[in-house]
Amino acid sequence: MAIIQKIMHRIIYILFFLSSLLNAQNIEESVATYDLSGGEIIQIKAFPSVYISNRNVNVWLPDNYNENQLYKVIYMHDGQMLFDAKTTWNGQEWGVDEWATQLQINQETPPFIVVGIHNHPKLRWYEYFPEQALSVSDENQQQILNKLLDSNKYIDSLLADNYLKFITEELKPYIDNRFNVSTAAKDTFVMGSSMGGLISLYAVCRYPQIFGGAACLSTHWPGAHIYDSNLLSDLLLHYFKVNIPKSGFHKFYFDYGNQTLDKYYPKYAPLVDQIMYDKGYSSFNYKQLFFEGANHSEDAWRSRLNQPVNFLLNP
């Protein structure tokens, strides 16, 4: 049975690969004019998708990018916030090019590239909330959930599953064909912050054969507005308790601070720890860090970005 599943996965991947070749003629690339401290960015404008709205994708390559070298890949959400503060809505950035350049020059990590997927500002919550977590069987819970979604003008049909199909069925095959990257799950990771942390964890749960690990910074465990019912956080924690892969192949990194929005997150840390320990994870493949005084911002995530990158990419 395992052999048949592997064969089916390979056939499906080949079909996705061929599909990406057919769509390549509709994809336009250019070198982005961002202010970078190292490397270059190949920007794909309005990457076409049948699953979600077209959006820009920034592919960061190191200065010494070599076609004879296989690179690991980190897929990152909120791609417009990663590289150049002059182009972001709040004047902040993750500093991905700074950290990625420094880590590789110092040989602190294996060679890697970063694929930054732009969000759709008006659809970000819908694309990042793990929709399978909303499956409830209790009638009272369903009534609370319906009222919660209606009161916040959320839509019944969420978009996270389609967003992940876009990444796994359309974007990743293109990246695998266009750039000299390892296609193995052990070399493919996903990373994000806040709601981006939730969708990163969800990506590994839904596609454990594609992603070898996730980094979830300042994960927004409340799920929506802080003042809403805690039903969403309960549903999220239950979903991940059931669906996080057992220890043995994947790696997970979590962190949080205690200022601004992050001040609501410390109470979830022991619950997440317990879920991971029950799945068999240890310090070898799981880490959750607390940063005293850290707030909920790109500046905060920038200050510690080396930690998740090091953890995911190194043995």
Side-chain angles (χ1 to χ4, degrees), residues 49-97:
S49 174
V50 299
Y51 294 113
I52 60 172
S53 60
N54 298 354
R55 77 253 341 262
N56 293 350
V57 175
N58 293 334
V59 182
W60 180 86
L61 306 175
D63 286 318
N64 59 347
Y65 178 75
N66 187 334
E67 290 292 347
N68 296 317
Q69 168 75 57
L70 272 183
Y71 292 82
K72 295 177 183 285
V73 187
I74 303 176
Y75 288 86
M76 295 186 68
H77 312 290
D78 297 315
Q80 61 265 58
M81 305 300 295
L82 303 180
F83 301 104
D84 187 353
K86 296 185 182 68
T87 66
T88 64
W89 69 269
N90 63 357
Q92 297 183 32
E93 55 158 303
W94 281 64
V96 169
D97 50 300

Side-chain angles (χ1 to χ4, degrees), residues 39 54 165 197 216-217 261 264 293:
N54 298 354
K165 286 180 181 179
C216 312
L217 287 70
L261 195 58
Y264 298 101

Side-chain angles (χ1 to χ4, degrees), residues 11 32 46 111 159 184 187 220 271 300-301:
I11 292 174
L159 303 173
D187 297 321
H220 192 59
L271 303 177
W301 303 321

Side-chain angles (χ1 to χ4, degrees), residues 19 58 63 67-68 82 85 90 113 118 120 143 148 160 167 179 188 196 198 203 238 253 267 274 281 289 303 310 315:
S19 176
N58 293 334
D63 286 318
E67 290 292 347
N68 296 317
L82 303 180
N90 63 357
I113 72 170
H118 285 217
H120 187 300
Q143 290 178 352
L148 178 63
I167 296 175
F179 301 97
T188 307
L198 288 178
H238 175 73
Y253 169 97
K267 69 177 183 179
Q274 193 59 56
Y281 287 85
L289 300 179
S303 70
N310 265 313

